[in-house]
Amino acid sequence: MSRTLQPRHQTLTVDVGGVKVGGGHPIVVQSMTNTDTADAEGTAAQIAALARAGSEIVRITVDRDEAAKAVPHIRERLLKMGVRVPIVGDFHYNGHTLLAENPACAEALDKYRINPGNVGFKDKRDRQFSAIVEQAIKWGKPVRIGVNWGSLDQELLTRLMDENSKSAAPKDARAVMHEAMVQSGLLSAERAVELGLGADRIVISAKVSTVQDLIAVNFMLAERSNYAIHLGLTEAGMGSKGIVASSAAMGIVLQAGIGDTIRFSLTPEPGGDRTVEVQAAQELLQTMGLRTFMPIVAACPGCGRTTSTVFQELARDVQAMIRERMPAWKRQFPGVEGLNLAVMGCIVNGPGESKHADIGISLPGTGESPAAPVFIDGKKAMTLRGPGIAADFKAIVEDYIEKRYGRGEHPASPTSPVRS
């Protein structure tokens, strides 16, 4: 039985540096730098790369005085590059001090991330949490209350475990941990509201590193509040493991209509491209039909009928062309992100899939005639032959985009990020 997306969980709208999070606005993609924030040049360069890849919010570590002092310089560098992405400061342990002693940092950031598990301990917890919230109020900034099971409030967890052990029907330890995470987030949010921070300036996240736990805690959060929710599988891992785990967990939660902003917390290869996590997040939202970021390229997986690598090479080249050209295309051709392409490898499904796409090509499989029919808007338009098939097809795609979207026939996607 097929399932449709559930209606979005109704949350408050939070304005993060002009990007609307929650309130039924499009689900926002965000990412985080892994540079030393004290290196203003390197951090600004990575933020710019993440933003150009499609990250709509970027978080940076603010862990010491040198990092805090670099934040306004990072902002200046980004503005000179024409990059206006909102920047979130990630604070642990000493955020109250860093914000108070570095007002230029407090002003330059667009949001503060507070971890209630390590904002302070015992009698210092409320005092130091309150100090960060008061800075947010002073500078008109929203906050993310980011609970993480690796740094969960141990006093709260211990109390709930003790209460559970005395219960007539005790729950298992994992269920108590879920409850502790949800309570940590909600109690912290309630305290922030008591201090004067508007509920519409609060985003909550509950980060875990296993799929079923992420599903459980976010369903609980959605049932018990209307705060905007950030989703992410923390410490998701490297490569396909991290992508599959994050997609499985967040896909189920998003399918239920829960989640207003997401991040893929992928471990990059040594020296690897940080923007992979942005691409993965976009692809999850697009394949689920929740956002549209760039043209989709349908391509067959290959089989014994497709011993040639021509269709694989063309699919790869077309995908690379799209990623390279999208920044310019989006400025010139509103709506181009909704384009559908097909690069197929043989006669079995090639013509049919190509007819369903806006532009499709069916390359010859093993033993087939060395001809490649091209279908445009469902009709066969031409047949390509010879060694220049790849270049010819890419030229056809460019020409189609210019003719179809250059005349303004297709308005910008209604799922584009909403800014004030």
Side-chain angles (χ1 to χ4, degrees):
M1 186 172 98
S2 64
R3 297 192 176 193
T4 57
L5 287 164
Q6 297 299 306
R8 290 279 298 279
H9 170 57
Q10 291 302 302
T11 58
L12 298 170
T13 299
V14 181
D15 187 315
V16 181
V19 173
K20 306 296 187 183
V21 174
H25 292 290
I27 297 165
V28 173
V29 171
Q30 61 178 274
S31 57
M32 185 174 184
T33 60
N34 61 355
T35 56
D36 180 356
T37 305
D39 174 8
E41 182 179 0
T43 301
Q46 191 174 80
I47 292 171
L50 290 165
R52 287 165 181 156
S55 183
E56 294 153 325
I57 296 174
V58 178
R59 184 160 47 113
I60 63 174
T61 297
V62 186
D63 58 345
R64 63 194 196 281
D65 196 58
E66 293 86 351
K69 284 181 166 45
V71 170
H73 300 294
I74 291 167
R75 173 66 75 190
E76 289 173 10
R77 287 176 179 273
L78 291 170
L79 290 174
K80 287 178 180 177
M81 289 188 277
V83 177
R84 299 182 179 276
V85 66
I87 303 173
V88 179
D90 194 59
F91 294 99
H92 298 273
Y93 308 110
N94 58 352
H96 59 293
T97 301
L98 292 174
L99 287 168
E101 295 180 354
N102 294 278
C105 168
E107 183 178 16
L109 292 169
D110 294 289
K111 185 171 73 171
Y112 310 152
R113 187 274 177 114
I114 311 172
N115 183 340
N118 59 29
V119 70
F121 302 99
K122 297 187 181 298
D123 60 321
K124 293 182 179 180
R125 177 181 292 111
D126 184 66
R127 187 166 65 251
Q128 293 176 182
F129 176 84
S130 299
I132 297 176
V133 172
E134 286 164 2
Q135 287 290 323
I137 295 169
K138 175 182 178 179
W139 295 104
K141 310 295 183 179
V143 302
R144 169 153 74 94
I145 295 173
V147 183
N148 191 302
W149 75 344
S151 51
L152 186 56
D153 182 341
Q154 291 303 300
E155 289 184 38
L156 174 61
L157 180 60
T158 299
R159 177 173 62 79
L160 292 178
M161 286 289 188
D162 289 344
E163 291 174 0
N164 184 64
S165 67
K166 298 172 185 176
S167 171
K171 301 174 182 178
D172 63 44
R174 189 163 291 262
V176 179
M177 183 272 290
H178 294 165
E179 178 64 24
M181 293 194 69
V182 172
Q183 283 200 27
S184 179
L186 294 181
L187 290 171
S188 298
E190 289 169 12
R191 177 60 179 146
V193 172
E194 287 176 3
L195 291 166
L197 187 68
D200 62 349
R201 289 186 175 272
I202 296 173
V203 178
I204 291 184
S205 67
K207 293 287 192 75
V208 295
S209 58
T210 62
V211 171
Q212 296 300 334
D213 291 312
L214 183 137
I215 295 166
V217 295
N218 281 284
F219 271 68
M220 292 169 69
L221 271 177
E223 288 172 0
R224 290 157 63 172
S225 80
N226 66 345
Y227 294 111
I229 294 176
H230 170 70
L231 298 179
L233 195 69
T234 191
E235 292 94 35
M238 185 177 283
S240 61
K241 182 270 177 186
I243 292 173
V244 169
S246 296
S247 298
M250 288 191 281
I252 291 170
V253 179
L254 291 167
Q255 180 74 20
I258 299 167
D260 301 294
T261 173
I262 69 170
R263 181 196 170 202
F264 272 60
S265 299
L266 303 179
T267 304
E269 297 285 346
D273 187 351
R274 191 68 165 176
T275 64
V276 170
E277 68 176 48
V278 179
Q279 180 181 336
Q282 289 181 326
E283 289 178 353
L284 173 64
L285 295 177
Q286 183 149 340
T287 55
M288 291 189 70
L290 292 165
R291 292 284 301 272
T292 303
F293 296 98
M294 66 178 55
I296 292 175
V297 180
C300 70
C303 66
R305 292 177 177 271
T306 57
T307 55
S308 168
T309 60
V310 174
F311 83 96
Q312 298 165 338
E313 292 162 0
L314 180 56
R316 178 199 62 199
D317 291 349
V318 169
Q319 191 72 64
M321 179 184 76
I322 288 170
R323 289 205 167 273
E324 180 183 345
R325 299 282 288 123
M326 270 306 290
W329 283 350
K330 288 185 79 170
R331 290 192 300 271
Q332 293 176 267
F333 308 121
V336 68
E337 59 269 24
L339 181 70
N340 288 309
L341 304 172
V343 178
M344 305 303 294
C346 81
I347 200 170
V348 174
N349 292 317
E353 286 283 357
S354 297
K355 288 177 183 177
H356 289 306
D358 295 312
I359 310 174
I361 185 169
S362 180
L363 291 158
T366 305
E368 292 179 13
S369 174
V374 175
F375 295 82
I376 298 178
D377 293 331
K379 298 178 180 179
K380 184 177 176 181
M382 65 199 74
T383 299
L384 302 180
R385 293 181 173 84
I389 285 178
D392 291 343
F393 183 69
K394 287 189 283 185
I396 291 167
V397 171
E398 291 264 15
D399 182 65
Y400 180 89
I401 288 170
E402 185 172 348
K403 289 180 177 177
R404 176 174 174 179
Y405 298 98
R407 292 197 295 263
E409 295 176 357
H410 298 261
S413 168
T415 55
S416 296
V418 177
R419 295 176 182 266
S420 60

